[in-house]
Amino acid sequence: MHEGCRARGRCRMECSWKTVLLLVCASLGVQYTAIHTLRDSLSGPCQGAYRCQSRHHRDFRWRSVCDDSWLPVESPRKHILLFATTRSGSSFTGQLLNQHSGIFYVFEPLYHVQQAFTNSSSRLRRTLDRRALLGAYRDLLLNLYTCDLHFMENYIRPEPQDHVTSTFFRRSSSHALCSPPVCLEGGNALASDPPDETWCPKKCGALNLTLASMSCLSRGHVAIKTVRVPEVGDLRTLTEDPRLDLKIIHLVRDPRAILASRMMAFSDQFRAWKIWNATGRQPRYVDLSQITSTCKDMAASAETGLQRPAWLRGRYLLVRYEDLALLPKEKATEIYRFVGLEMEDRVQMWIAKNTNSNMSSPSEWNYRYSTTRDSRATAESWRLRLGFNIVRTIQNLCNDTLALLGYKQVHSAAELRDLSHSLVEYRTFEPVT
Ligand SMILES: *[C@@H]1O[C@H](CO)[C@@H](O)[C@H](O)[C@H]1NC(C)=O
Ligand SMILES: *[C@@H]1O[C@H](CO)[C@@H](O)[C@H](O)[C@H]1NC(C)=O
Ligand SMILES: *[C@@H]1O[C@H](CO)[C@@H](O)[C@H](O)[C@H]1NC(C)=O
Ligand SMILES: *[C@@H]1O[C@H](CO)[C@@H](O)[C@H](O)[C@H]1NC(C)=O
Ligand SMILES: *[C@@H]1O[C@H](CO)[C@@H](O)[C@H](O)[C@H]1NC(C)=O
């Protein structure tokens, strides 16, 4: 590899130089064409207040490095993935990224892919299903990271007309999708706390995906939250893609807390568990498979990440939700340092406001995916919400995961309820560098 390359850290790939060139040229071609097509379809506001055009030139210009070849200038554009599991605190953590004015944040776009696959008529074999689904997930992530929101149209149902949709999943969770240039009405609503998850479509009308793509280009960085990718290994081709500078924030949480939270949020699906919790006796038909695979996937990903394979170097950060809840400012700083961005004042203000809230008007915030709560108090509140019998079962199913992530087991109901002793061991998980 060329000296200058090594010094500047630009040539990351370890395969042959020719392959690198081919790959890079091919991908640049695709990206360049995509960007041009998109830019050609954009006009009006772009040249005005939002300056996509000039931004875009800065982000995507190319320059000769390594003497005789072309590689993208080390892009300032960050591609952040909040990689989590259902009810692990990812809505809260996602807001830390959503508050940043330079980040285009999307909350669980893979929902649409899963819906499309789930309803597809052909019943493929399981492994093939899984591979195809994961491939579609990666395709969508790649396209979103390069600001092609139109790619979503392959999956959104009903099919968007004229690049406009009114069924974009959890749109209200994204500032960028509810503020100018996407939504001209949205500016003020953002200043105060949005009351619920329907405010944005109500206020802004249907979502114009072309405008969303423009907004994406005009912000410097893209962050995506998902709970639908099972293991970090499933993301490997994205970490190796020369078009991306992927930063994976792996958010984990005590599986006992995850279970308690799922029982509260999805009570219909967890009826058997609630009976178990209320009676202390395990119904025969209770489904242990979901929490078991949650534990298995979480541990497998953490093990992979902490082993620091070459393809994850500098790209993986393990964050325990409990640490974030206990020391939100410190942990948020660590997250921002990892992704390589400045933590803006408004992020700090959001943290101050949302981590010490005394829930003065809980009715306003008490919707299912609320992120505003006293994070400190909720981190271990599951200990008052689960019977010891259930806790013991989960501990047996997930003992390796608990040990790996530093969550202590309890051996009696009294120990479970005694909140003066934290079950979260002090641990540091050094960022992979
Ligand atoms: C998938 O099918 C279910 C049940 O038939 C339906 O309720 C749901 O709306 C469909 N989802 C999509 C995205 O078409
Ligand atoms: C969506 O926004 C683009 C860019 O401003 C505009 O050209 C297009 O007409 C809009 N689409 C609709 C259906 O309003
Ligand atoms: C909680 O909020 C109420 C109303 O905003 C305020 O009067 C009260 O002092 C607050 N309590 C604490 C402990 O911050
Ligand atoms: C489990 O039962 C306890 C009472 O023993 C109750 O306080 C708690 O809310 C229940 N948890 C759930 C998730 O239903
Ligand atoms: C978890 O339980 C299994 C089976 O009981 C046991 O083999 C394993 O050593 C345990 N792991 C830890 C970390 O305690």
Side-chain angles (χ1 to χ4, degrees):
M1 213 177 267
H2 191 278
E3 270 306 305
C5 266
R6 200 178 297 135
R8 301 166 108 157
R10 285 205 179 94
C11 308
R12 276 189 262 100
M13 302 195 63
E14 286 166 10
C15 49
S16 91
W17 189 225
K18 277 186 179 162
T19 317
V20 173
L21 278 185
L22 271 176
L23 266 177
V24 169
C25 291
S27 65
L28 293 190
V30 170
Q31 188 174 27
Y32 191 74
T33 313
I35 293 299
H36 261 266
T37 313
L38 181 61
R39 196 179 47 175
D40 291 347
S41 73
L42 307 175
S43 55
C46 208
Q47 275 100 27
Y50 305 106
R51 303 219 197 106
C52 307
Q53 197 103 349
S54 57
R55 279 264 197 177
H56 152 117
H57 275 302
R58 198 169 65 222
D59 288 342
F60 291 97
R61 92 201 124 141
W62 319 108
R63 115 159 92 99
S64 178
V65 290
C66 310
D67 301 338
D68 55 350
S69 70
W70 289 77
L71 281 176
V73 166
E74 201 154 46
S75 170
R77 193 169 276 264
K78 306 288 179 195
H79 308 99
I80 304 161
L81 189 69
L82 179 54
F83 170 65
T85 190
T86 313
R87 308 306 294 179
S88 59
S90 61
S91 300
F92 176 84
T93 312
Q95 286 305 312
L96 296 175
L97 301 166
N98 189 34
Q99 299 305 315
H100 193 287
S101 63
I103 291 179
F104 184 85
Y105 175 70
V106 191
F107 183 105
E108 197 55 270
L110 303 186
Y111 167 86
H112 291 291
V113 182
Q114 192 188 42
Q115 288 300 102
F117 269 70
T118 305
N119 283 14
S120 73
S121 50
S122 65
R123 279 262 144 250
L124 303 171
R125 276 183 300 131
R126 199 180 173 79
T127 48
L128 189 58
D129 247 350
R130 187 185 136 89
R131 274 181 55 217
L133 182 62
L134 290 173
Y137 283 168
R138 281 189 296 265
D139 280 350
L140 180 57
L141 290 173
L142 177 60
N143 279 279
L144 290 179
Y145 282 132
T146 50
C147 289
D148 182 3
L149 273 284
H150 292 150
F151 196 80
M152 294 282 286
E153 294 175 33
N154 296 333
Y155 303 108
I156 293 175
R157 302 287 176 272
E159 189 180 352
Q161 300 296 311
D162 298 326
H163 310 300
V164 168
T165 178
S166 49
T167 53
F168 195 98
F169 183 59
R170 299 288 310 281
R171 177 185 174 190
S172 300
S173 300
S174 168
H175 271 178
L177 296 180
C178 303
S179 58
V182 176
C183 171
L184 298 176
E185 302 293 312
N188 297 334
L190 294 176
S192 59
D193 293 325
D196 63 37
E197 54 183 289
T198 62
W199 76 270
C200 174
K202 269 189 210 150
K203 188 132 194 167
C204 306
L207 175 65
N208 182 330
L209 292 165
T210 308
L211 283 173
S213 298
M214 280 170 46
S215 167
C216 178
L217 286 171
S218 77
R219 294 185 174 224
H221 316 282
V222 181
I224 298 172
K225 170 216 134 145
T226 185
V227 298
R228 280 174 167 69
V229 177
E231 283 187 33
V232 75
D234 298 320
L235 298 165
R236 179 164 176 172
T237 55
L238 292 179
T239 67
E240 291 174 336
D241 193 309
R243 287 165 288 187
L244 300 185
D245 183 8
L246 193 67
K247 300 279 184 183
I248 300 171
I249 301 161
H250 183 200
L251 181 70
V252 298
R253 186 180 188 185
D254 189 323
R256 296 165 295 188
I258 289 175
L259 177 72
S261 180
R262 287 178 183 172
M263 280 168 71
M264 307 282 278
F266 313 114
S267 43
D268 286 354
Q269 292 163 42
F270 281 82
R271 226 170 258 141
W273 288 86
K274 298 201 107 165
I275 292 169
W276 184 0
N277 182 57
T279 62
R281 293 178 50 184
Q282 178 178 358
R284 207 171 301 154
Y285 49 90
V286 78
D287 177 18
L288 298 175
S289 68
Q290 195 196 50
I291 192 72
T292 306
S293 54
T294 296
C295 284
K296 216 174 97 271
D297 289 341
M298 206 153 66
S301 293
E303 265 165 12
T304 302
L306 298 175
Q307 278 165 9
R308 296 153 209 248
W311 56 272
L312 265 186
R313 207 154 289 153
R315 308 202 172 283
Y316 176 87
L317 178 71
L318 180 66
V319 176
R320 291 190 304 188
Y321 175 65
E322 292 80 3
D323 294 328
L324 193 58
L326 190 66
L327 297 169
K329 221 175 132 194
E330 288 78 352
K331 283 288 149 184
T333 306
E334 190 180 320
I335 288 172
Y336 270 93
R337 197 183 310 127
F338 164 70
V339 300
L341 293 177
E342 197 75 33
M343 187 160 89
E344 293 182 340
D345 285 348
R346 50 187 277 179
V347 178
Q348 309 227 30
M349 276 159 53
W350 188 88
I351 294 170
K353 187 149 177 280
N354 288 274
T355 53
N356 295 311
S357 149
N358 74 359
M359 311 282 270
S360 52
S361 53
S363 59
E364 265 186 302
W365 275 103
N366 207 11
Y367 65 97
R368 195 160 68 156
Y369 297 97
S370 169
T371 53
T372 293
R373 54 182 75 133
D374 187 346
S375 59
R376 205 176 281 246
T378 52
E380 290 200 63
S381 67
W382 64 270
R383 296 170 64 181
L384 305 175
R385 291 208 216 106
L386 287 186
F388 177 61
N389 200 291
I390 292 185
V391 169
R392 195 171 44 195
T393 304
I394 303 304
Q395 289 179 169
N396 289 335
L397 291 172
C398 299
N399 69 337
D400 291 333
T401 310
L402 293 169
L404 178 68
L405 300 175
Y407 300 121
K408 282 183 223 159
Q409 300 203 11
V410 292
H411 305 285
S412 69
E415 202 184 336
L416 173 64
R417 306 284 188 233
D418 179 8
L419 295 186
S420 66
H421 289 99
S422 173
L423 300 181
V424 183
E425 287 169 7
Y426 178 77
R427 288 281 171 94
T428 54
F429 302 97
E430 290 302 310
V432 179
T433 48

